[in-house]
Every structure is written in C-alpha cells, then in structure tokens.
Amino acid sequence: MPFLPVRDTDVHYEAEGQGPGLVLVHGTGGDADKVFGNVVHHFSATRTVVRPNFSGSGQTTDDGTELTVDLITDQVAAVTRQAVRGPVDLLGFSLGAVAAAAVAATHPELVRRLILVGGWAHSTAPRDRFYFETWRKLLDTDRELFKRFSTLTGFGPATLNAFGHQGLAHSLADEWPPPGIGRQIDLGAKVDIRDLLPKITAPTLVIGLAGDNMIPVDGSRQLHAAIPGSRLVEIEDEGHMDWFADPTRLIDLTRAFIDAPDATV
C-alpha cells in the first residue's frame, strides 16, 4: 500500500500490472477503488495501472486546508513519477480530468497520451456555479438529500431504472460520501484552467457524456476547442456516472486510443 509525501500531504495510490504506465485519476467524491476498481483488470495484463487518490479521497492525508488545482496536479504528477517509468497514458474523470489536463500542460514530459472524460475547463458560468453551490449546501444541511441529488444528476434515467428500487435504496445506505468531499466540491466551484489548455502538446482524446446533468457535455466541448489537435467523442445518452455500471464503451475508446500507432491518433 504505497504512500508518497507531496507538499505536506501523504498521497496514497494503487499500482498493479506490468508494462507501460496508465494513470487513472478519479473525480469528486470518488477514489481509486470506487471509480476504477472495475476497470483495472481490463488493462493490467499489458499496462502498469496507477491510481492516485488526491486530497480528500482514499487514505491520502493532509492538513485539511483549502484544495487547489495546483495541489492535486502536483500530487498526480509526483505519483506518476514515483510509480512507473514515463511517459504515461493519463486518463482523468470529472475533477480528475481537470487535474490530468493540468498535469499534461505543466509536465508535458510525463504524458504520452491524454484522455479526459466528463471534464470541464472552468466553473465561471452561472449554471455551473449554481450547481456547485447547491451541491455544497445539500452536503452541509442534509446528507440523504445530498445523496439523492447526486444520484439523480449523476446517472441517466435508464441507468437509474436499471438499478431498480432495491438498488437505489442500497445506494442511500452506502457510507458515501467521504469526509473530504466538501473540499473537493469547493475546488470544483472555482476551477478555471483555460490558460493551461493551449499548452497541452500530448495527443488528446476528449470523451463527452451527452446525457450528463452533473457536468454538462459543453464542458468537454470547451476542452476540445481549447486543446490543440484534440479529438472529441460524445457518447449519446450517457450520464456522468453511467459508465460506473457499464464501462465497456469507455474501455474500448481508451484502449483504441492508447494502442493506436502514432500516425493514427
């Protein structure tokens, strides 16, 4: 169970498999296991799969101060250097996509190819700010309502219906959210990496989730428009977290992108 000291934090990460590095970065309220636990075995036979837990998640510990994009970027970059010989293929989901994009912009030597899933470039628009403020108020006032709101906006209708009544009741009984989620929500509300995106030189695949009510697909379109030479794929009717239930499409897109010859990226 490896840990790495980074800027007054003790960052926990998982690493398994063998071969070139594939680094997977979770989003708000997630961790290495909850987000990517059902994905690792699809890659670990041919890749060293590294899953860092940035501050607020997993067993990573710090002093509890306000989170910044710079901090989680440094955590992901440091774990990448420690865990596997680079450059690596780097995939970030949601807030993890923000961190992954920042790593690619500020540490280009670490990143061979970049995949951004359900990410966004900035939170300055009224709708985005309103969403994060509402999310935080629910967390502070009623955790059950917070979990209901997160489920309703995080998953699409078809996925929720597939869970069934018992599945949805089980989700309410889960111990989630983790104690550090409030700090991650606060960070999400102030994201603005627009100045970094044009600096990304790694071949980039942006995966937008067209049915996303948590982080609308326009966020992925903004990333694509700002990252030179990037490619955008939008998955129709996909909610923000639908791929947790069935990661097949995400796995196929990722594998095709990271295994493609350089000339076809």
Side-chain angles (χ1 to χ4, degrees):
M1 187 178 295
F3 288 83
L4 180 67
V6 181
R7 285 180 53 180
D8 298 323
T9 68
D10 205 14
V11 183
H12 169 246
Y13 66 94
E14 303 283 356
E16 49 242 291
Q18 57 185 355
L22 173 62
V23 178
L24 308 176
V25 188
H26 65 82
T28 302
D31 60 36
D33 289 324
K34 276 187 174 294
V35 177
F36 294 113
N38 63 342
V39 171
V40 174
H41 69 279
H42 290 278
F43 295 99
S44 56
T46 58
R47 301 269 173 171
T48 301
V49 184
V50 180
R51 295 174 290 154
N53 284 310
F54 57 71
S55 283
S57 289
Q59 299 180 54
T60 294
T61 59
D62 59 23
D63 58 6
T65 56
E66 181 180 42
L67 298 186
T68 65
V69 171
D70 285 348
L71 174 61
I72 66 173
T73 297
D74 285 351
Q75 291 174 337
V76 173
V79 166
T80 299
R81 285 196 182 93
Q82 168 85 4
V84 64
R85 179 177 295 179
V88 304
D89 297 318
L90 176 60
L91 183 153
F93 165 65
S94 195
L95 185 57
V98 173
V103 169
T106 57
H107 303 278
E109 76 285 356
L110 289 181
V111 183
R112 187 184 79 104
R113 293 182 183 174
L114 177 67
I115 306 103
L116 305 176
V117 182
W120 76 104
H122 65 95
S123 307
T124 63
R127 183 269 171 200
D128 296 332
R129 186 66 55 81
F130 190 76
Y131 183 90
F132 281 105
E133 289 174 351
T134 302
W135 212 19
R136 182 62 200 243
K137 285 181 182 294
L138 287 171
L139 176 69
D140 292 342
T141 57
D142 191 318
R143 291 227 160 189
E144 180 175 327
L145 286 180
F146 173 83
K147 292 166 79 168
R148 288 177 179 270
F149 179 77
S150 301
T151 299
L152 286 169
T153 58
F155 294 97
T159 300
L160 290 174
N161 285 328
F163 287 163
H165 296 297
Q166 288 187 339
L168 290 172
H170 179 74
S171 72
L172 286 178
D174 189 85
E175 293 183 0
W176 188 88
I181 193 173
R183 297 162 67 212
Q184 295 174 353
I185 292 172
D186 292 342
L187 173 56
K190 61 186 181 186
V191 161
D192 191 346
I193 57 169
R194 286 176 289 185
D195 62 327
L196 294 178
L197 299 176
K199 300 176 183 178
I200 294 174
T201 57
T204 301
L205 174 65
V206 180
I207 300 177
L209 309 171
D212 196 336
N213 290 314
M214 184 173 277
I215 304 294
V217 70
D218 188 57
S220 291
R221 294 169 183 165
Q222 292 169 4
L223 293 172
H224 167 58
I227 298 173
S230 64
R231 179 160 66 94
L232 173 65
V233 175
E234 295 186 14
I235 304 179
E236 189 175 354
D237 298 327
E238 187 87 352
H240 194 65
M241 300 186 296
D242 285 358
W243 66 273
F244 290 7
D246 182 5
T248 303
R249 186 71 195 280
L250 178 64
I251 290 167
D252 289 347
L253 287 169
T254 299
R255 181 177 286 120
F257 182 67
I258 64 178
D259 291 344
D262 289 344
T264 62
V265 173

